[in-house]
Amino acid sequence: QGESRRPLYIISVNIMNSLKNAAAFLFALHTTHAVEVGDEVCITGYVLDGLCITQGFFLDAQDTNSLEFPEEHTFHCLIDPPQCVESGYQVLGPKNETTGMHCLGFR
């Protein structure tokens, strides 16, 4: 009650279905031209807050590795705890098949 929440400004992010489109975007970006200020980009990937990335687990699922299972990240954990909101957000890149962990993507 009465507490203000910061809005999330994330362009075209589909939290549940992501990695193929993110890889395609990165490939297309690499093979066409560099992104310049003012360019519109569309990125699809799992969104995690900086705190859950740094600590390696979710506040509400402490036995779940955040970079291994980002699909388990709840909206509550993402937008309600002030420490998560204040830590910023990242869209993860593709999963490394060797380690089973998603790489860090875009902030």
Side-chain angles (χ1 to χ4, degrees):
Q1 311 294 19
E3 74 180 62
S4 65
R5 296 183 195 266
R6 292 187 217 171
L8 292 176
Y9 293 104
I10 301 171
I11 300 172
S12 298
V13 175
N14 177 344
I15 295 176
M16 302 317 240
N17 185 5
S18 68
L19 299 178
K20 291 180 185 175
N21 291 335
F25 168 77
L26 292 174
F27 178 77
L29 181 64
H30 183 270
T31 59
T32 56
H33 71 282
V35 176
E36 297 179 17
V37 174
D39 286 353
E40 286 189 34
V41 293
C42 177
I43 301 168
T44 303
Y46 293 104
V47 177
L48 292 184
D49 58 87
L51 180 67
C52 289
I53 291 171
T54 302
Q55 67 187 12
F57 58 85
F58 304 123
L59 287 180
D60 57 359
Q62 295 184 5
D63 58 341
T64 303
N65 184 305
S66 57
L67 292 178
E68 189 174 2
F69 301 106
E71 66 276 10
E72 300 297 321
H73 202 204
T74 64
F75 284 108
H76 162 70
C77 186
L78 187 66
I79 63 174
D80 287 334
Q83 64 269 37
C84 293
V85 174
E86 292 166 7
S87 68
Y89 299 97
Q90 287 195 41
V91 179
L92 298 183
K95 187 177 251 189
N96 180 315
E97 296 301 322
T98 304
T99 65
M101 308 284 260
H102 287 267
C103 65
L104 299 180
F106 304 93
R107 290 194 261 181

